[in-house]
Amino acid sequence: MGSESVKVVARCRPLDDREKTLCCKMVLSMDVHRCQCFIEKPGAQDEPPKQFTFDGTYYINQTTEQLYNEIAYPLIEGVTEGYNGTIFAYGQTGSGKSFTMQGVSEPATQKGVIPRAFEHIFESIQCAENTKFLVRASYLEIYNEEVRDLLGIKKKIIFETRRHPICSL
Ligand SMILES: Nc1ncnc2c1ncn2[C@@H]1O[C@H](COP(=O)(O)OP(=O)(O)OP(=O)(O)O)[C@@H](O)[C@H]1O
C-alpha cells in the first residue's frame, strides 16, 4: 500500500440470493496481492479481461476487519493526532456500501467501518494524557440529490444538491 494522500480501494461482494436464483455468473476476479481487478465480458471468451489496479482490493472472502486494519486504521490514527481524514463508500445501489460502512454485528469480523472508527477514536481519547478532544458527529445521507439529516427527528431535507453551471461541481 503506497503513501499517497488519496487511496482508492475496491471491494467485491458475493452474489446475493436473487443473483444466484437467476444463475448469474461472477464476472469479476481479483489478484488481492497485486491489488488488481479483472472484469470478463460474458460470452466473449476470446477477449482478455479488462484490468484495473487500485490501492487495495478486497474479494468476497475478505472481511471489514481486514479492510479497516489496512485502510482505515492509519487514517483514524492520523485523525487522533489532529490531521483531517475522510472515508467514503461509492457504488451503485446494492453494491455493499452500507455493509462496509455500517456493517453487521455478527460475525464480529464484519462490523462496519463507522462503529470501528468510533471505538478506535474513543479508545485513543481514553488513553491520551494531558490532551483535550472535541468530538462532533453528524450523519447525513445524499439520496436523489437531496441531503438529509439522519439524526434529526424527522428525516428532514436540509439541502438540495446543485451543479455549478460551468464546472458542474
Ligand atoms: N462483502 C459482503 N459480504 C456479504 N454480503 C454483502 C457484502 N457486501 C454487501 N453484502 C450484502 O449485499 C446486499 C446489499 O448491500 P448494501 O445494502 O450494503 O448495499 P448499498 O450499496 O448500501 O445499497 P443502497 O445504495 O441501495 O443502500 C446486502 O444484503 C448486504 O448484506
PDB file of all heavy atoms in Angstrom, residues 64-65 67-69 71-80 85-88 100-103 111-125 135-137:
ATOM      1  N   THR A  64     -14.492  -6.932   6.729  1.00  0.00           N
ATOM      2  CA  THR A  64     -14.367  -5.494   7.000  1.00  0.00           C
ATOM      3  C   THR A  64     -13.241  -5.264   8.016  1.00  0.00           C
ATOM      4  O   THR A  64     -12.599  -4.212   8.004  1.00  0.00           O
ATOM      5  CB  THR A  64     -15.710  -4.944   7.513  1.00  0.00           C
ATOM      6  OG1 THR A  64     -16.720  -5.297   6.574  1.00  0.00           O
ATOM      7  CG2 THR A  64     -15.681  -3.433   7.672  1.00  0.00           C
ATOM      8  N   GLU A  65     -13.006  -6.252   8.879  1.00  0.00           N
ATOM      9  CA  GLU A  65     -11.903  -6.125   9.850  1.00  0.00           C
ATOM     10  C   GLU A  65     -10.564  -5.939   9.119  1.00  0.00           C
ATOM     11  O   GLU A  65      -9.787  -5.048   9.451  1.00  0.00           O
ATOM     12  CB  GLU A  65     -11.845  -7.380  10.718  1.00  0.00           C
ATOM     13  CG  GLU A  65     -10.780  -7.315  11.795  1.00  0.00           C
ATOM     14  CD  GLU A  65     -10.842  -8.520  12.714  1.00  0.00           C
ATOM     15  OE1 GLU A  65     -11.021  -9.652  12.234  1.00  0.00           O
ATOM     16  OE2 GLU A  65     -10.707  -8.304  13.919  1.00  0.00           O
ATOM     17  N   LEU A  67     -10.152  -4.908   5.988  1.00  0.00           N
ATOM     18  CA  LEU A  67     -10.188  -3.632   5.273  1.00  0.00           C
ATOM     19  C   LEU A  67      -9.918  -2.477   6.245  1.00  0.00           C
ATOM     20  O   LEU A  67      -9.145  -1.563   5.945  1.00  0.00           O
ATOM     21  CB  LEU A  67     -11.560  -3.492   4.611  1.00  0.00           C
ATOM     22  CG  LEU A  67     -11.794  -2.312   3.702  1.00  0.00           C
ATOM     23  CD1 LEU A  67     -12.751  -2.704   2.578  1.00  0.00           C
ATOM     24  CD2 LEU A  67     -12.358  -1.116   4.427  1.00  0.00           C
ATOM     25  N   TYR A  68     -10.547  -2.554   7.427  1.00  0.00           N
ATOM     26  CA  TYR A  68     -10.356  -1.477   8.407  1.00  0.00           C
ATOM     27  C   TYR A  68      -8.881  -1.388   8.823  1.00  0.00           C
ATOM     28  O   TYR A  68      -8.291  -0.301   8.823  1.00  0.00           O
ATOM     29  CB  TYR A  68     -11.233  -1.703   9.650  1.00  0.00           C
ATOM     30  CG  TYR A  68     -11.151  -0.520  10.584  1.00  0.00           C
ATOM     31  CD1 TYR A  68     -11.987   0.570  10.406  1.00  0.00           C
ATOM     32  CD2 TYR A  68     -10.196  -0.458  11.600  1.00  0.00           C
ATOM     33  CE1 TYR A  68     -11.891   1.682  11.221  1.00  0.00           C
ATOM     34  CE2 TYR A  68     -10.093   0.654  12.415  1.00  0.00           C
ATOM     35  CZ  TYR A  68     -10.946   1.719  12.225  1.00  0.00           C
ATOM     36  OH  TYR A  68     -10.823   2.835  13.015  1.00  0.00           O
ATOM     37  N   ASN A  69      -8.312  -2.549   9.163  1.00  0.00           N
ATOM     38  CA  ASN A  69      -6.936  -2.529   9.673  1.00  0.00           C
ATOM     39  C   ASN A  69      -5.948  -1.993   8.640  1.00  0.00           C
ATOM     40  O   ASN A  69      -5.016  -1.274   8.974  1.00  0.00           O
ATOM     41  CB  ASN A  69      -6.516  -3.925  10.138  1.00  0.00           C
ATOM     42  CG  ASN A  69      -7.251  -4.307  11.408  1.00  0.00           C
ATOM     43  OD1 ASN A  69      -7.781  -3.445  12.106  1.00  0.00           O
ATOM     44  ND2 ASN A  69      -7.316  -5.593  11.700  1.00  0.00           N
ATOM     45  N   ILE A  71      -6.746  -0.100   5.746  1.00  0.00           N
ATOM     46  CA  ILE A  71      -7.071   1.184   5.098  1.00  0.00           C
ATOM     47  C   ILE A  71      -7.451   2.264   6.110  1.00  0.00           C
ATOM     48  O   ILE A  71      -6.920   3.376   6.095  1.00  0.00           O
ATOM     49  CB  ILE A  71      -8.251   0.997   4.098  1.00  0.00           C
ATOM     50  CG1 ILE A  71      -7.937  -0.109   3.098  1.00  0.00           C
ATOM     51  CG2 ILE A  71      -8.590   2.305   3.400  1.00  0.00           C
ATOM     52  CD1 ILE A  71      -6.715   0.115   2.251  1.00  0.00           C
ATOM     53  N   ALA A  72      -8.411   1.933   6.993  1.00  0.00           N
ATOM     54  CA  ALA A  72      -8.969   2.981   7.856  1.00  0.00           C
ATOM     55  C   ALA A  72      -8.098   3.229   9.087  1.00  0.00           C
ATOM     56  O   ALA A  72      -7.970   4.377   9.530  1.00  0.00           O
ATOM     57  CB  ALA A  72     -10.387   2.587   8.276  1.00  0.00           C
ATOM     58  N   TYR A  73      -7.517   2.180   9.623  1.00  0.00           N
ATOM     59  CA  TYR A  73      -6.777   2.317  10.889  1.00  0.00           C
ATOM     60  C   TYR A  73      -5.728   3.449  10.825  1.00  0.00           C
ATOM     61  O   TYR A  73      -5.730   4.340  11.686  1.00  0.00           O
ATOM     62  CB  TYR A  73      -6.133   0.981  11.280  1.00  0.00           C
ATOM     63  CG  TYR A  73      -5.499   1.017  12.643  1.00  0.00           C
ATOM     64  CD1 TYR A  73      -6.206   0.597  13.775  1.00  0.00           C
ATOM     65  CD2 TYR A  73      -4.206   1.509  12.824  1.00  0.00           C
ATOM     66  CE1 TYR A  73      -5.639   0.657  15.039  1.00  0.00           C
ATOM     67  CE2 TYR A  73      -3.640   1.580  14.075  1.00  0.00           C
ATOM     68  CZ  TYR A  73      -4.355   1.151  15.181  1.00  0.00           C
ATOM     69  OH  TYR A  73      -3.796   1.228  16.425  1.00  0.00           O
ATOM     70  N   PRO A  74      -4.841   3.458   9.806  1.00  0.00           N
ATOM     71  CA  PRO A  74      -3.824   4.527   9.764  1.00  0.00           C
ATOM     72  C   PRO A  74      -4.435   5.918   9.646  1.00  0.00           C
ATOM     73  O   PRO A  74      -3.921   6.884  10.223  1.00  0.00           O
ATOM     74  CB  PRO A  74      -2.982   4.199   8.525  1.00  0.00           C
ATOM     75  CG  PRO A  74      -3.421   2.858   8.051  1.00  0.00           C
ATOM     76  CD  PRO A  74      -4.710   2.514   8.696  1.00  0.00           C
ATOM     77  N   LEU A  75      -5.561   6.001   8.905  1.00  0.00           N
ATOM     78  CA  LEU A  75      -6.207   7.308   8.732  1.00  0.00           C
ATOM     79  C   LEU A  75      -6.794   7.797  10.054  1.00  0.00           C
ATOM     80  O   LEU A  75      -6.642   8.966  10.428  1.00  0.00           O
ATOM     81  CB  LEU A  75      -7.305   7.158   7.668  1.00  0.00           C
ATOM     82  CG  LEU A  75      -7.917   8.459   7.211  1.00  0.00           C
ATOM     83  CD1 LEU A  75      -7.751   8.608   5.712  1.00  0.00           C
ATOM     84  CD2 LEU A  75      -9.379   8.529   7.563  1.00  0.00           C
ATOM     85  N   ILE A  76      -7.439   6.895  10.798  1.00  0.00           N
ATOM     86  CA  ILE A  76      -8.043   7.288  12.080  1.00  0.00           C
ATOM     87  C   ILE A  76      -6.938   7.629  13.093  1.00  0.00           C
ATOM     88  O   ILE A  76      -7.084   8.567  13.890  1.00  0.00           O
ATOM     89  CB  ILE A  76      -8.965   6.169  12.623  1.00  0.00           C
ATOM     90  CG1 ILE A  76     -10.089   5.879  11.638  1.00  0.00           C
ATOM     91  CG2 ILE A  76      -9.523   6.524  13.999  1.00  0.00           C
ATOM     92  CD1 ILE A  76     -11.138   6.943  11.480  1.00  0.00           C
ATOM     93  N   GLU A  77      -5.837   6.913  13.031  1.00  0.00           N
ATOM     94  CA  GLU A  77      -4.699   7.262  13.907  1.00  0.00           C
ATOM     95  C   GLU A  77      -4.283   8.708  13.638  1.00  0.00           C
ATOM     96  O   GLU A  77      -4.029   9.482  14.558  1.00  0.00           O
ATOM     97  CB  GLU A  77      -3.501   6.344  13.602  1.00  0.00           C
ATOM     98  CG  GLU A  77      -3.561   5.007  14.275  1.00  0.00           C
ATOM     99  CD  GLU A  77      -3.473   5.092  15.790  1.00  0.00           C
ATOM    100  OE1 GLU A  77      -2.371   5.319  16.300  1.00  0.00           O
ATOM    101  OE2 GLU A  77      -4.521   4.941  16.447  1.00  0.00           O
ATOM    102  N   GLY A  78      -4.223   9.070  12.344  1.00  0.00           N
ATOM    103  CA  GLY A  78      -3.866  10.440  11.955  1.00  0.00           C
ATOM    104  C   GLY A  78      -4.862  11.448  12.507  1.00  0.00           C
ATOM    105  O   GLY A  78      -4.487  12.524  12.979  1.00  0.00           O
ATOM    106  N   VAL A  79      -6.158  11.086  12.452  1.00  0.00           N
ATOM    107  CA  VAL A  79      -7.203  11.996  12.957  1.00  0.00           C
ATOM    108  C   VAL A  79      -6.987  12.259  14.448  1.00  0.00           C
ATOM    109  O   VAL A  79      -7.106  13.392  14.913  1.00  0.00           O
ATOM    110  CB  VAL A  79      -8.609  11.403  12.676  1.00  0.00           C
ATOM    111  CG1 VAL A  79      -9.690  12.144  13.453  1.00  0.00           C
ATOM    112  CG2 VAL A  79      -8.911  11.445  11.181  1.00  0.00           C
ATOM    113  N   THR A  80      -6.642  11.212  15.210  1.00  0.00           N
ATOM    114  CA  THR A  80      -6.443  11.411  16.650  1.00  0.00           C
ATOM    115  C   THR A  80      -5.195  12.265  16.923  1.00  0.00           C
ATOM    116  O   THR A  80      -5.032  12.798  18.005  1.00  0.00           O
ATOM    117  CB  THR A  80      -6.321  10.064  17.408  1.00  0.00           C
ATOM    118  OG1 THR A  80      -5.185   9.370  16.897  1.00  0.00           O
ATOM    119  CG2 THR A  80      -7.557   9.218  17.266  1.00  0.00           C
ATOM    120  N   GLY A  85      -9.201  13.635   7.908  1.00  0.00           N
ATOM    121  CA  GLY A  85      -9.316  12.363   7.187  1.00  0.00           C
ATOM    122  C   GLY A  85     -10.746  12.137   6.751  1.00  0.00           C
ATOM    123  O   GLY A  85     -11.677  12.529   7.451  1.00  0.00           O
ATOM    124  N   THR A  86     -10.928  11.556   5.586  1.00  0.00           N
ATOM    125  CA  THR A  86     -12.279  11.252   5.083  1.00  0.00           C
ATOM    126  C   THR A  86     -12.295   9.836   4.519  1.00  0.00           C
ATOM    127  O   THR A  86     -11.353   9.437   3.836  1.00  0.00           O
ATOM    128  CB  THR A  86     -12.659  12.219   3.925  1.00  0.00           C
ATOM    129  OG1 THR A  86     -12.621  13.549   4.413  1.00  0.00           O
ATOM    130  CG2 THR A  86     -14.035  11.922   3.364  1.00  0.00           C
ATOM    131  N   ILE A  87     -13.350   9.110   4.848  1.00  0.00           N
ATOM    132  CA  ILE A  87     -13.553   7.793   4.229  1.00  0.00           C
ATOM    133  C   ILE A  87     -14.960   7.816   3.654  1.00  0.00           C
ATOM    134  O   ILE A  87     -15.908   8.168   4.363  1.00  0.00           O
ATOM    135  CB  ILE A  87     -13.477   6.655   5.274  1.00  0.00           C
ATOM    136  CG1 ILE A  87     -12.122   6.656   5.972  1.00  0.00           C
ATOM    137  CG2 ILE A  87     -13.748   5.303   4.618  1.00  0.00           C
ATOM    138  CD1 ILE A  87     -12.038   5.682   7.143  1.00  0.00           C
ATOM    139  N   PHE A  88     -15.115   7.523   2.383  1.00  0.00           N
ATOM    140  CA  PHE A  88     -16.478   7.371   1.885  1.00  0.00           C
ATOM    141  C   PHE A  88     -16.574   6.184   0.941  1.00  0.00           C
ATOM    142  O   PHE A  88     -15.577   5.753   0.360  1.00  0.00           O
ATOM    143  CB  PHE A  88     -17.015   8.666   1.253  1.00  0.00           C
ATOM    144  CG  PHE A  88     -16.440   9.039  -0.081  1.00  0.00           C
ATOM    145  CD1 PHE A  88     -17.005   8.583  -1.257  1.00  0.00           C
ATOM    146  CD2 PHE A  88     -15.345   9.882  -0.151  1.00  0.00           C
ATOM    147  CE1 PHE A  88     -16.469   8.954  -2.486  1.00  0.00           C
ATOM    148  CE2 PHE A  88     -14.808  10.261  -1.367  1.00  0.00           C
ATOM    149  CZ  PHE A  88     -15.381   9.787  -2.546  1.00  0.00           C
ATOM    150  N   THR A 100     -20.283  -2.324   4.211  1.00  0.00           N
ATOM    151  CA  THR A 100     -18.904  -1.983   4.570  1.00  0.00           C
ATOM    152  C   THR A 100     -18.866  -0.890   5.630  1.00  0.00           C
ATOM    153  O   THR A 100     -18.117  -0.995   6.602  1.00  0.00           O
ATOM    154  CB  THR A 100     -18.124  -1.545   3.309  1.00  0.00           C
ATOM    155  OG1 THR A 100     -18.072  -2.652   2.421  1.00  0.00           O
ATOM    156  CG2 THR A 100     -16.715  -1.085   3.642  1.00  0.00           C
ATOM    157  N   MET A 101     -19.686   0.147   5.479  1.00  0.00           N
ATOM    158  CA  MET A 101     -19.574   1.297   6.373  1.00  0.00           C
ATOM    159  C   MET A 101     -20.302   1.082   7.696  1.00  0.00           C
ATOM    160  O   MET A 101     -19.792   1.418   8.756  1.00  0.00           O
ATOM    161  CB  MET A 101     -20.120   2.560   5.688  1.00  0.00           C
ATOM    162  CG  MET A 101     -19.368   2.952   4.437  1.00  0.00           C
ATOM    163  SD  MET A 101     -17.600   3.193   4.712  1.00  0.00           S
ATOM    164  CE  MET A 101     -17.573   4.785   5.492  1.00  0.00           C
ATOM    165  N   GLN A 102     -21.512   0.526   7.640  1.00  0.00           N
ATOM    166  CA  GLN A 102     -22.314   0.311   8.848  1.00  0.00           C
ATOM    167  C   GLN A 102     -22.093  -1.104   9.372  1.00  0.00           C
ATOM    168  O   GLN A 102     -21.902  -1.303  10.562  1.00  0.00           O
ATOM    169  CB  GLN A 102     -23.775   0.502   8.489  1.00  0.00           C
ATOM    170  CG  GLN A 102     -24.636   0.968   9.619  1.00  0.00           C
ATOM    171  CD  GLN A 102     -25.961   1.473   9.062  1.00  0.00           C
ATOM    172  OE1 GLN A 102     -25.995   2.374   8.218  1.00  0.00           O
ATOM    173  NE2 GLN A 102     -27.029   0.865   9.488  1.00  0.00           N
ATOM    174  N   GLY A 103     -22.107  -2.062   8.484  1.00  0.00           N
ATOM    175  CA  GLY A 103     -21.770  -3.437   8.802  1.00  0.00           C
ATOM    176  C   GLY A 103     -22.853  -4.180   9.552  1.00  0.00           C
ATOM    177  O   GLY A 103     -23.972  -3.701   9.705  1.00  0.00           O
ATOM    178  N   LYS A 111     -18.179  -6.264  11.364  1.00  0.00           N
ATOM    179  CA  LYS A 111     -18.628  -4.985  11.954  1.00  0.00           C
ATOM    180  C   LYS A 111     -18.114  -3.863  11.055  1.00  0.00           C
ATOM    181  O   LYS A 111     -17.002  -3.948  10.530  1.00  0.00           O
ATOM    182  CB  LYS A 111     -18.037  -4.874  13.370  1.00  0.00           C
ATOM    183  CG  LYS A 111     -18.587  -3.720  14.138  1.00  0.00           C
ATOM    184  CD  LYS A 111     -18.318  -3.876  15.619  1.00  0.00           C
ATOM    185  CE  LYS A 111     -16.833  -3.864  15.918  1.00  0.00           C
ATOM    186  NZ  LYS A 111     -16.537  -3.897  17.343  1.00  0.00           N
ATOM    187  N   GLY A 112     -18.923  -2.824  10.883  1.00  0.00           N
ATOM    188  CA  GLY A 112     -18.614  -1.824   9.867  1.00  0.00           C
ATOM    189  C   GLY A 112     -17.491  -0.844  10.216  1.00  0.00           C
ATOM    190  O   GLY A 112     -17.033  -0.772  11.358  1.00  0.00           O
ATOM    191  N   VAL A 113     -17.107  -0.093   9.210  1.00  0.00           N
ATOM    192  CA  VAL A 113     -16.027   0.894   9.367  1.00  0.00           C
ATOM    193  C   VAL A 113     -16.437   1.976  10.371  1.00  0.00           C
ATOM    194  O   VAL A 113     -15.623   2.411  11.195  1.00  0.00           O
ATOM    195  CB  VAL A 113     -15.676   1.517   7.985  1.00  0.00           C
ATOM    196  CG1 VAL A 113     -14.787   2.740   8.136  1.00  0.00           C
ATOM    197  CG2 VAL A 113     -15.023   0.480   7.084  1.00  0.00           C
ATOM    198  N   ILE A 114     -17.724   2.402  10.345  1.00  0.00           N
ATOM    199  CA  ILE A 114     -18.147   3.503  11.227  1.00  0.00           C
ATOM    200  C   ILE A 114     -18.063   3.101  12.705  1.00  0.00           C
ATOM    201  O   ILE A 114     -17.385   3.784  13.488  1.00  0.00           O
ATOM    202  CB  ILE A 114     -19.551   4.035  10.836  1.00  0.00           C
ATOM    203  CG1 ILE A 114     -19.508   4.647   9.431  1.00  0.00           C
ATOM    204  CG2 ILE A 114     -20.054   5.067  11.837  1.00  0.00           C
ATOM    205  CD1 ILE A 114     -20.883   4.970   8.841  1.00  0.00           C
ATOM    206  N   PRO A 115     -18.700   1.979  13.134  1.00  0.00           N
ATOM    207  CA  PRO A 115     -18.547   1.611  14.557  1.00  0.00           C
ATOM    208  C   PRO A 115     -17.099   1.328  14.949  1.00  0.00           C
ATOM    209  O   PRO A 115     -16.691   1.642  16.078  1.00  0.00           O
ATOM    210  CB  PRO A 115     -19.425   0.364  14.713  1.00  0.00           C
ATOM    211  CG  PRO A 115     -19.820  -0.058  13.351  1.00  0.00           C
ATOM    212  CD  PRO A 115     -19.678   1.111  12.451  1.00  0.00           C
ATOM    213  N   ARG A 116     -16.307   0.767  14.034  1.00  0.00           N
ATOM    214  CA  ARG A 116     -14.887   0.526  14.352  1.00  0.00           C
ATOM    215  C   ARG A 116     -14.150   1.851  14.563  1.00  0.00           C
ATOM    216  O   ARG A 116     -13.321   1.979  15.468  1.00  0.00           O
ATOM    217  CB  ARG A 116     -14.193  -0.234  13.209  1.00  0.00           C
ATOM    218  CG  ARG A 116     -14.532  -1.682  13.171  1.00  0.00           C
ATOM    219  CD  ARG A 116     -13.953  -2.380  11.945  1.00  0.00           C
ATOM    220  NE  ARG A 116     -14.583  -3.665  11.798  1.00  0.00           N
ATOM    221  CZ  ARG A 116     -14.237  -4.754  12.466  1.00  0.00           C
ATOM    222  NH1 ARG A 116     -13.187  -4.737  13.259  1.00  0.00           N
ATOM    223  NH2 ARG A 116     -14.895  -5.881  12.323  1.00  0.00           N
ATOM    224  N   ALA A 117     -14.478   2.826  13.712  1.00  0.00           N
ATOM    225  CA  ALA A 117     -13.797   4.126  13.830  1.00  0.00           C
ATOM    226  C   ALA A 117     -14.174   4.798  15.156  1.00  0.00           C
ATOM    227  O   ALA A 117     -13.315   5.381  15.835  1.00  0.00           O
ATOM    228  CB  ALA A 117     -14.174   5.011  12.648  1.00  0.00           C
ATOM    229  N   PHE A 118     -15.464   4.695  15.549  1.00  0.00           N
ATOM    230  CA  PHE A 118     -15.893   5.288  16.824  1.00  0.00           C
ATOM    231  C   PHE A 118     -15.131   4.653  17.987  1.00  0.00           C
ATOM    232  O   PHE A 118     -14.600   5.350  18.855  1.00  0.00           O
ATOM    233  CB  PHE A 118     -17.394   5.084  17.033  1.00  0.00           C
ATOM    234  CG  PHE A 118     -18.267   6.035  16.236  1.00  0.00           C
ATOM    235  CD1 PHE A 118     -19.646   5.926  16.269  1.00  0.00           C
ATOM    236  CD2 PHE A 118     -17.716   7.021  15.457  1.00  0.00           C
ATOM    237  CE1 PHE A 118     -20.451   6.796  15.547  1.00  0.00           C
ATOM    238  CE2 PHE A 118     -18.508   7.893  14.724  1.00  0.00           C
ATOM    239  CZ  PHE A 118     -19.883   7.771  14.773  1.00  0.00           C
ATOM    240  N   GLU A 119     -15.077   3.314  17.989  1.00  0.00           N
ATOM    241  CA  GLU A 119     -14.366   2.627  19.086  1.00  0.00           C
ATOM    242  C   GLU A 119     -12.898   3.055  19.121  1.00  0.00           C
ATOM    243  O   GLU A 119     -12.343   3.338  20.176  1.00  0.00           O
ATOM    244  CB  GLU A 119     -14.426   1.107  18.883  1.00  0.00           C
ATOM    245  CG  GLU A 119     -15.754   0.534  19.274  1.00  0.00           C
ATOM    246  CD  GLU A 119     -15.913  -0.915  18.831  1.00  0.00           C
ATOM    247  OE1 GLU A 119     -14.902  -1.574  18.504  1.00  0.00           O
ATOM    248  OE2 GLU A 119     -17.064  -1.377  18.813  1.00  0.00           O
ATOM    249  N   HIS A 120     -12.307   3.107  17.943  1.00  0.00           N
ATOM    250  CA  HIS A 120     -10.898   3.475  17.816  1.00  0.00           C
ATOM    251  C   HIS A 120     -10.647   4.890  18.376  1.00  0.00           C
ATOM    252  O   HIS A 120      -9.753   5.109  19.198  1.00  0.00           O
ATOM    253  CB  HIS A 120     -10.558   3.395  16.322  1.00  0.00           C
ATOM    254  CG  HIS A 120      -9.139   3.604  15.970  1.00  0.00           C
ATOM    255  ND1 HIS A 120      -8.633   3.261  14.744  1.00  0.00           N
ATOM    256  CD2 HIS A 120      -8.095   4.135  16.649  1.00  0.00           C
ATOM    257  CE1 HIS A 120      -7.356   3.574  14.699  1.00  0.00           C
ATOM    258  NE2 HIS A 120      -7.007   4.111  15.833  1.00  0.00           N
ATOM    259  N   ILE A 121     -11.516   5.832  17.967  1.00  0.00           N
ATOM    260  CA  ILE A 121     -11.340   7.230  18.396  1.00  0.00           C
ATOM    261  C   ILE A 121     -11.492   7.338  19.918  1.00  0.00           C
ATOM    262  O   ILE A 121     -10.655   7.936  20.600  1.00  0.00           O
ATOM    263  CB  ILE A 121     -12.352   8.154  17.672  1.00  0.00           C
ATOM    264  CG1 ILE A 121     -11.958   8.307  16.208  1.00  0.00           C
ATOM    265  CG2 ILE A 121     -12.456   9.519  18.354  1.00  0.00           C
ATOM    266  CD1 ILE A 121     -13.000   8.960  15.325  1.00  0.00           C
ATOM    267  N   PHE A 122     -12.561   6.710  20.456  1.00  0.00           N
ATOM    268  CA  PHE A 122     -12.806   6.877  21.900  1.00  0.00           C
ATOM    269  C   PHE A 122     -11.796   6.100  22.747  1.00  0.00           C
ATOM    270  O   PHE A 122     -11.450   6.543  23.841  1.00  0.00           O
ATOM    271  CB  PHE A 122     -14.265   6.534  22.235  1.00  0.00           C
ATOM    272  CG  PHE A 122     -15.198   7.626  21.778  1.00  0.00           C
ATOM    273  CD1 PHE A 122     -15.988   7.474  20.655  1.00  0.00           C
ATOM    274  CD2 PHE A 122     -15.228   8.847  22.445  1.00  0.00           C
ATOM    275  CE1 PHE A 122     -16.818   8.502  20.213  1.00  0.00           C
ATOM    276  CE2 PHE A 122     -16.054   9.883  22.017  1.00  0.00           C
ATOM    277  CZ  PHE A 122     -16.850   9.711  20.899  1.00  0.00           C
ATOM    278  N   GLU A 123     -11.261   4.994  22.218  1.00  0.00           N
ATOM    279  CA  GLU A 123     -10.184   4.306  22.950  1.00  0.00           C
ATOM    280  C   GLU A 123      -8.934   5.183  22.977  1.00  0.00           C
ATOM    281  O   GLU A 123      -8.258   5.287  24.002  1.00  0.00           O
ATOM    282  CB  GLU A 123      -9.846   2.967  22.288  1.00  0.00           C
ATOM    283  CG  GLU A 123     -10.714   1.834  22.816  1.00  0.00           C
ATOM    284  CD  GLU A 123     -10.599   0.567  22.002  1.00  0.00           C
ATOM    285  OE1 GLU A 123      -9.578   0.382  21.303  1.00  0.00           O
ATOM    286  OE2 GLU A 123     -11.555  -0.225  22.044  1.00  0.00           O
ATOM    287  N   SER A 124      -8.626   5.816  21.844  1.00  0.00           N
ATOM    288  CA  SER A 124      -7.444   6.697  21.798  1.00  0.00           C
ATOM    289  C   SER A 124      -7.598   7.859  22.766  1.00  0.00           C
ATOM    290  O   SER A 124      -6.654   8.260  23.447  1.00  0.00           O
ATOM    291  CB  SER A 124      -7.230   7.269  20.396  1.00  0.00           C
ATOM    292  OG  SER A 124      -7.045   6.251  19.496  1.00  0.00           O
ATOM    293  N   ILE A 125      -8.834   8.417  22.829  1.00  0.00           N
ATOM    294  CA  ILE A 125      -9.084   9.548  23.731  1.00  0.00           C
ATOM    295  C   ILE A 125      -8.886   9.106  25.182  1.00  0.00           C
ATOM    296  O   ILE A 125      -8.269   9.823  25.993  1.00  0.00           O
ATOM    297  CB  ILE A 125     -10.504  10.114  23.508  1.00  0.00           C
ATOM    298  CG1 ILE A 125     -10.579  10.804  22.151  1.00  0.00           C
ATOM    299  CG2 ILE A 125     -10.915  11.068  24.631  1.00  0.00           C
ATOM    300  CD1 ILE A 125     -11.965  11.284  21.759  1.00  0.00           C
ATOM    301  N   VAL A 135     -15.174  16.088  20.040  1.00  0.00           N
ATOM    302  CA  VAL A 135     -15.699  15.181  19.021  1.00  0.00           C
ATOM    303  C   VAL A 135     -17.079  15.680  18.613  1.00  0.00           C
ATOM    304  O   VAL A 135     -17.948  15.871  19.461  1.00  0.00           O
ATOM    305  CB  VAL A 135     -15.813  13.731  19.558  1.00  0.00           C
ATOM    306  CG1 VAL A 135     -16.381  12.803  18.485  1.00  0.00           C
ATOM    307  CG2 VAL A 135     -14.463  13.225  20.040  1.00  0.00           C
ATOM    308  N   ARG A 136     -17.253  15.932  17.344  1.00  0.00           N
ATOM    309  CA  ARG A 136     -18.577  16.319  16.821  1.00  0.00           C
ATOM    310  C   ARG A 136     -19.002  15.259  15.819  1.00  0.00           C
ATOM    311  O   ARG A 136     -18.163  14.762  15.065  1.00  0.00           O
ATOM    312  CB  ARG A 136     -18.480  17.648  16.058  1.00  0.00           C
ATOM    313  CG  ARG A 136     -18.327  18.841  16.931  1.00  0.00           C
ATOM    314  CD  ARG A 136     -18.903  20.043  16.155  1.00  0.00           C
ATOM    315  NE  ARG A 136     -18.515  21.261  16.826  1.00  0.00           N
ATOM    316  CZ  ARG A 136     -17.562  22.064  16.404  1.00  0.00           C
ATOM    317  NH1 ARG A 136     -16.899  21.800  15.295  1.00  0.00           N
ATOM    318  NH2 ARG A 136     -17.271  23.144  17.070  1.00  0.00           N
ATOM    319  N   ALA A 137     -20.266  14.949  15.794  1.00  0.00           N
ATOM    320  CA  ALA A 137     -20.730  13.939  14.835  1.00  0.00           C
ATOM    321  C   ALA A 137     -21.998  14.396  14.130  1.00  0.00           C
ATOM    322  O   ALA A 137     -22.862  15.025  14.747  1.00  0.00           O
ATOM    323  CB  ALA A 137     -21.011  12.624  15.554  1.00  0.00           C
TER     324      ALA A 137
END
